[in-house]
Amino acid sequence: MIKGGYIALALCVCALLSAATSCTPASAAEAAPRQEVMVSVPLSKLTELQSLISRQEQRLNQLQELLSGQSSGLSQQQQQISQLRQELTTAKNSLTSSNQIIDEQNASLMSLSEKLKQEQRRTRRIERQRLLWQAVAGGVVVYAVLKE
């Protein structure tokens, strides 16, 4: 509440100064050069007001420094976010490329697997044919031996 009193006192002094300078008649203001008006303010109140203004200036300077620090911190964070976005984009591109390579390798493996199955079927068929011809040849030899 004391600070509010100082502010009110400062506003009253400003109002008195403003009123004192604007009270001169228009004709007198035009005719005579502007004169300074003296306002008496107790020295203790003036000292308190100056002290209050000084403290407010110090506080304002502190707040400006704080704002400056936060602004630079925000700039650094924005740069970090930008860098992270670039890294994320690079990672996404790498992942897409890896997925394409995996898909190609999967297709190649499926093709090789199908060829291997066909080769195994062909090998079994040839083996069965060979056994069949061996049986037929054996039967012909047995028939020829028995027939003589």
Side-chain angles (χ1 to χ4, degrees), residues 1 10 30 44 46 50 54-55 59 64 67-68 70 74 81-82 92 99 104 106 112-113 116 120 122 130 134 138 143:
M1 195 67 181
E30 292 173 1
S44 62
L46 182 61
Q50 288 174 340
S54 175
R55 285 192 304 256
R59 180 68 177 146
Q64 285 175 340
L67 180 61
S68 175
Q70 288 178 348
L74 182 61
I81 288 172
S82 176
K92 283 182 181 178
N99 283 339
E104 290 172 4
N106 192 23
L112 288 174
S113 176
L116 181 62
Q120 287 173 343
R122 186 175 81 72
R130 186 176 300 142
Q134 286 174 355
Y143 177 71

Side-chain angles (χ1 to χ4, degrees), residues 40-50:
S40 66
V41 176
L43 186 58
S44 62
K45 295 292 183 184
L46 182 61
T47 305
E48 288 178 25
L49 184 58
Q50 288 174 340

Side-chain angles (χ1 to χ4, degrees), residues 15-125:
L16 286 174
L17 288 174
S18 175
T21 57
S22 65
C23 286
T24 58
S27 60
E30 292 173 1
R34 192 159 203 155
Q35 295 179 1
E36 292 186 15
V37 177
M38 298 287 284
V39 177
S40 66
V41 176
L43 186 58
S44 62
K45 295 292 183 184
L46 182 61
T47 305
E48 288 178 25
L49 184 58
Q50 288 174 340
S51 173
L52 175 65
I53 290 171
S54 175
R55 285 192 304 256
Q56 293 298 328
E57 285 177 349
Q58 289 175 352
R59 180 68 177 146
L60 179 62
N61 288 337
Q62 289 173 349
L63 290 173
Q64 285 175 340
E65 289 175 10
L66 178 64
L67 180 61
S68 175
Q70 288 178 348
S71 177
S72 66
L74 182 61
S75 294
Q76 290 174 351
Q77 289 176 349
Q78 286 175 337
Q79 288 174 351
Q80 288 175 347
I81 288 172
S82 176
Q83 182 180 1
L84 289 173
R85 282 184 178 159
Q86 289 175 350
E87 290 175 6
L88 182 60
T89 302
T90 302
K92 283 182 181 178
N93 292 340
S94 177
L95 181 61
T96 302
S97 175
S98 295
N99 283 339
Q100 288 175 346
I101 291 171
I102 288 172
D103 289 343
E104 290 172 4
Q105 289 178 345
N106 192 23
S108 177
L109 283 174
M110 295 298 279
S111 173
L112 288 174
S113 176
E114 186 61 34
K115 286 180 182 178
L116 181 62
K117 287 179 185 177
Q118 288 175 355
E119 186 64 30
Q120 287 173 343
R121 279 184 259 156
R122 186 175 81 72
T123 303
R124 282 190 298 236
R125 188 189 65 214

